[in-house]
Amino acid sequence: MADNLEEIQKSVKKYLIIGATLIVFTGITVWLSYVELPTHSLNILVGMIVATFKAALVALIFMHLNHERSVIYKILAFTVVFAIVLFTLFILSHGDPLTFEGFYDRNEE
């Protein structure tokens, strides 16, 4: 914890800057929802990059994970790898052969 007024003021200033950054990136997220990128997957990818940046700021600064032991970073790294694998599977499922035209329109006999 901060011991003197100067350290407290530095901490408050840092939190206000991070808060303003989060507000700006929330505005960017809203703006991106109105922008049509060339592919739908690219829209999702850019949105997830912005959301990941915002989540990292919240976790590192407001949840004080930037002062934790290295085991926390190993767990977070595993989580990031797992999320990347899931997003890759999502993108690869775009060409799923089971979603061809008329597949769900068949009459059951």
Side-chain angles (χ1 to χ4, degrees):
M1 293 299 297
D3 292 333
N4 58 24
L5 184 61
E6 190 174 298
E7 288 181 28
I8 293 172
Q9 288 174 341
K10 268 178 45 175
S11 293
V12 168
K13 184 177 179 182
K14 179 177 77 169
Y15 288 136
L16 289 175
I17 290 171
I18 296 299
T21 304
L22 288 171
I23 290 171
V24 167
F25 274 91
T26 300
I28 290 172
T29 302
V30 171
W31 174 74
L32 282 172
S33 71
Y34 292 105
V35 174
E36 187 65 35
L37 297 176
T39 64
H40 184 64
S41 296
L42 191 59
N43 277 355
I44 293 172
L45 180 66
V46 171
M48 290 307 298
I49 288 171
V50 171
T52 302
F53 177 74
K54 288 171 28 181
L57 279 179
V58 169
L60 290 173
I61 305 302
F62 292 115
M63 296 174 69
H64 305 286
L65 291 180
N66 54 349
H67 299 296
E68 289 293 330
R69 296 185 317 214
S70 65
V71 107
I72 294 292
Y73 295 115
K74 291 175 184 172
I75 293 170
L76 288 175
F78 174 75
T79 305
V80 168
V81 169
F82 187 70
I84 289 171
V85 168
L86 287 178
F87 283 117
T88 303
L89 289 174
F90 172 75
I91 290 170
L92 291 175
S93 73
H94 181 68
D96 189 1
L98 293 179
T99 58
F100 62 85
E101 188 74 30
F103 180 77
Y104 296 105
D105 296 335
R106 295 185 299 175
N107 292 330
E108 293 189 30
E109 296 177 21

